[in-house]
Amino acid sequence: MSDVDQIDELLMARVQPRWQKAAMIIGTTMIEAKEELVGIDDFFLAARIQQLAKAGKIESRSDLNHIRYSEIRSVKASPSKL
C-alpha cells in the first residue's frame, strides 16, 4: 500500500454518510492522525479529498477548490439485488 493510499484511508475513516464540512474532516484527520501525517499539510489533504470525489469514493457538494465551504459524505451503498 502506498503512502497516498494510507492517507486516503485516514480521510475515509472520518467521512460519514451525513454531509460534513470538508475542512472539518481535514482538521480532524490532522489532529487524530498527527503521527502518521508528519510533513503532510492541509493543502495536500484537500487535494486528496478532491481526488476521492473524482474517483467516486465520496460525494461532494459545492466547489472543492474552496474546501472551507465544501461538504462531503460517504457514497451511499446501493441496495443489494436479491
Side-chain angles (χ1 to χ4, degrees):
M1 180 181 299
S2 73
D3 291 341
V4 171
D5 290 336
Q6 291 175 343
I7 291 169
D8 289 353
E9 282 188 10
L10 291 170
L11 289 165
M12 292 293 296
R14 289 156 180 85
V15 177
Q16 299 179 13
R18 65 180 171 82
W19 290 108
Q20 300 170 279
K21 294 289 186 184
M24 178 63 76
I25 298 299
I26 291 169
T28 301
T29 302
M30 291 185 78
I31 290 167
E32 293 177 356
K34 62 184 170 189
E35 293 171 6
E36 293 95 327
L37 295 173
V38 172
I40 305 295
D41 63 16
D42 56 333
F43 293 106
F44 184 80
L45 296 181
R48 292 311 309 153
I49 285 178
Q50 290 176 333
Q51 290 302 311
L52 290 168
K54 284 182 185 177
K57 294 184 178 183
I58 60 174
E59 293 180 304
S60 66
R61 61 181 179 190
S62 299
D63 184 354
L64 286 175
N65 289 313
H66 302 282
I67 208 77
R68 183 175 175 190
Y69 304 107
S70 301
E71 294 182 315
I72 59 175
R73 68 178 177 187
S74 58
V75 175
K76 292 180 181 177
S78 59
S80 62
K81 296 179 182 178
L82 299 175

